[in-house]
Amino acid sequence: MDGNDKVALVVGASRGIGRQIAIDLAKNGYAVVVAAKSTSDARGVVPFPPDPNSPQSTISTVEREIVEAGGRATAIPVDVRDFAGVQALVDKTIEIYHRLDVLIFNSGAIWWASVEDTPMKRFQLLQRVNPEGLYGAVQAALPHLKARRGRIVVVSPPIYSRFFRGKTAYAVGKVGMSVLTVGLAMDFKRQGLADMAITSLWPAAAIQSAATQSHTSSDPSAASSLRKPNIFSDAVLAVLRAPAPVVSGQLFLDEDFLRSPEGGGVTDFSKYALVPGTEPRRIMPARLPDLSVEEQDDEGTRMDSAKGRKAKAKL
């Protein structure tokens, strides 16, 4: 899937990884709708462009960056906790560009603490922004993506037990997002939509972002453990170029997919190091568990609650 005349909606595009994805999609020919909560008067931002990990970076400044570089972009604010607002975002995208080919969901709330130290309100926020926000975006976008045999890329992790440690509330939501990736891919397969795909991506090594700034400001040497966000946007573009059956339902790490033949067979990752000459430590496992079972295709008696409800409605 190349970008010529295609339209991508990037949710969570104001800073860091999301901003980089939006900019690189535009460089590759996509018209990009950049969506997030933060807006500003981009005309008055000095210096420009702002630090991409600072509060001065908003969807308004990202739109300006793309347009001034010769690309096409529209900034539309959204709070992913509000499904009506998410639906309005997708409707506005279709009103402006008349199509939707790619949905990138990068929005995310972060809280890493024990269960005891995670208040109920914080837990609810994590779930509303992360899995619920994703589910709403997918629900709103799916009819338009089906019309174009489009793609979805979700920023969520592979599923393995170590990920739950010390951040259980966060993991509940993030792993739930990965479950949606695997489950929707199964829906596509059932529906004969072999040319559609949903894929999860996650960093193999830590990436510079607003979340890492507090650490590096107190310990500048920590920057040597970080990569630039363009490794992630390169992986997104590689996923979009790959055949749908190869990537659909997969929970990839950015580096591992880029190393694969389908991801371009990259072998030199030195250009992605934030500090030249360093080799950022891999924080993800070298091997991940296989979630499939021997009885994978045995569904038993298939149930469809939606079909049953439709039948009752006709009575």
Side-chain angles (χ1 to χ4, degrees):
M1 174 180 281
D2 292 320
N4 298 327
D5 297 322
K6 288 184 168 58
V7 177
L9 168 57
V10 183
V11 183
S14 57
R15 289 186 284 277
I17 289 173
R19 168 195 166 274
Q20 192 67 52
I21 292 169
I23 285 175
D24 286 348
L25 283 168
K27 287 179 180 177
N28 282 268
Y30 287 85
V32 183
V33 174
V34 288
K37 287 175 63 179
S38 60
T39 61
S40 63
D41 181 0
R43 296 168 299 177
V45 175
V46 178
F48 189 87
D51 178 343
N53 298 307
S54 72
Q56 286 68 48
S57 183
T58 67
I59 57 172
S60 309
T61 61
V62 175
E63 176 193 49
R64 179 183 163 188
E65 283 188 74
I66 292 172
V67 171
E68 290 189 354
R72 293 176 297 157
T74 302
I76 304 176
V78 69
D79 183 342
V80 297
R81 296 171 294 178
D82 174 20
F83 179 62
V86 173
Q87 184 67 64
L89 164 66
V90 174
D91 291 345
K92 190 67 175 178
T93 299
I94 299 302
E95 178 186 332
I96 295 170
Y97 292 107
H98 311 293
R99 62 187 291 169
L100 178 60
D101 301 275
V102 172
L103 169 65
I104 311 289
F105 193 87
N106 176 60
S107 287
I110 299 175
W111 180 264
W112 287 17
S114 67
V115 173
E116 183 178 15
D117 291 330
T118 303
M120 188 63 188
K121 284 187 177 180
R122 177 65 62 174
F123 177 84
Q124 290 172 325
L125 174 67
L126 292 169
Q127 310 322 312
R128 292 199 65 195
V129 172
N130 296 344
E132 188 177 329
L134 170 63
Y135 198 93
V138 168
Q139 282 266 309
L142 204 50
H144 307 290
L145 292 170
K146 278 189 170 183
R148 297 287 176 181
R149 295 298 189 261
R151 301 287 189 94
I152 304 170
V153 179
V154 181
V155 181
S156 68
I159 301 173
Y160 65 101
S161 62
R162 193 186 76 183
F163 187 80
F164 314 156
R165 185 185 301 150
K167 51 182 182 297
T168 303
Y170 176 75
V172 166
K174 278 296 182 179
V175 169
M177 296 167 72
S178 298
V179 170
L180 192 152
T181 291
V182 177
L184 182 56
M186 291 175 171
D187 287 351
F188 290 160
K189 186 175 181 180
R190 274 182 166 186
Q191 296 164 7
L193 300 172
D195 45 359
M196 288 191 70
I198 177 169
T199 309
S200 281
L201 270 177
W202 195 251
I207 291 176
Q208 183 191 33
S209 67
T212 65
Q213 279 195 323
S214 60
H215 190 196
T216 54
S217 61
S218 61
D219 179 12
S221 67
S224 64
S225 67
L226 301 177
R227 281 176 168 162
K228 300 173 186 176
N230 59 330
I231 186 174
F232 204 86
S233 59
D234 282 355
V236 168
L237 288 164
V239 165
L240 295 178
R241 294 186 188 110
V246 172
V247 299
S248 193
Q250 299 300 311
L251 312 176
F252 290 130
L253 297 176
D254 53 3
E255 176 183 333
D256 294 353
F257 185 70
L258 288 170
R259 286 186 184 278
S260 71
E262 297 83 3
V266 179
T267 57
D268 182 4
F269 287 80
S270 60
K271 66 179 180 179
Y272 297 122
L274 181 62
V275 178
T278 61
E279 294 186 17
R281 183 179 74 88
R282 183 184 175 101
I283 58 175
M284 298 298 286
R287 295 179 62 186
L288 293 159
D290 182 356
L291 301 179
S292 62
V293 295
E294 289 185 9
E295 302 85 358
Q296 189 75 7
D297 295 326
D298 181 4
E299 298 189 51
T301 302
R302 279 179 61 166
M303 304 293 290
D304 189 336
S305 299
K307 189 175 290 186
R309 176 170 290 187
K310 289 175 184 176
K312 287 181 180 180
K314 291 180 180 178
L315 297 178

